[in-house]
Amino acid sequence: MTISSETRTAGPFSGNGSTTAFPFTFKVFSTSDVVVVLTDTDGVEDTLTLTTDYTVSLNADQDTSPGGTVTMLTAPATGELLTLTSAVGNLQPIEITNQGGFYPNVINKAFDRATIQIQQLLNKINRSIKIPLSDGTSITTELPTATLRANKALVFDADGNIDVSADDYEDQAANAAASAAAA
């Protein structure tokens, strides 16, 4: 089968102190490919441990019904968030030999693994800070150039978003420093 969804996360699910089962719908190859992250009420993330903190039951056929259920051994408390994603290893474990049988499902599995690995990278890239293409190291223009960033502070607005207005970048850095000193 094909990978028909770009989604590699489930949640975040809000904890309520009683719910322990959390579904996900992305394909994985084994229970150890599932990553569970608990965010506490202060916003601190903790990557949990399989069998110590949670178990995973996979749907029987990951091709026709990808995903499964994560069951927490202790329900996340009210105010905590639980997010599920995958961490399929960046390996290529499939070997195709000369003069062997050609099995399309083996090829499909290899393509699925590569697609999942690409999706995992894209998930990380989409959550990262990016610098301008003209810097020669990135594909986006979300921050000012290296010259404008030099000796400046990274500033966030009231909503927690990066505030990258180049016109007042120096003022923002000064305001951030003043706010930190006053706290």
Side-chain angles (χ1 to χ4, degrees), residues 37-61:
V37 176
L38 182 69
T39 307
D40 69 17
T41 56
D42 293 326
V44 177
E45 290 187 346
D46 184 24
T47 301
L48 303 181
T49 304
L50 180 63
T51 68
T52 301
D53 300 308
Y54 65 94
T55 61
V56 177
S57 61
L58 298 179
N59 296 341
D61 187 342

Side-chain angles (χ1 to χ4, degrees), residues 99-175:
Q99 299 180 8
F102 178 81
Y103 302 104
N105 63 330
V106 173
I107 302 299
N108 282 331
K109 186 175 180 180
F111 285 143
D112 285 354
R113 177 176 287 277
T115 300
I116 289 168
Q117 291 164 336
I118 291 166
Q119 289 175 340
Q120 290 174 169
L121 286 172
L122 185 59
N123 185 330
K124 288 181 180 183
I125 290 167
N126 286 341
R127 291 181 290 110
S128 67
I129 295 173
K130 300 173 185 86
I131 58 174
L133 178 62
S134 61
D135 281 5
T137 59
S138 185
I139 59 168
T140 186
T141 57
E142 293 185 23
L143 291 176
T145 63
T147 302
L148 291 175
R149 288 192 318 267
N151 298 311
K152 305 297 187 290
L154 183 60
V155 180
F156 298 90
D157 66 17
D159 295 323
N161 298 313
I162 296 173
D163 192 347
V164 294
S165 171
D167 295 337
D168 62 349
Y169 202 65
E170 289 180 14
D171 293 339
Q172 293 170 12
N175 291 340

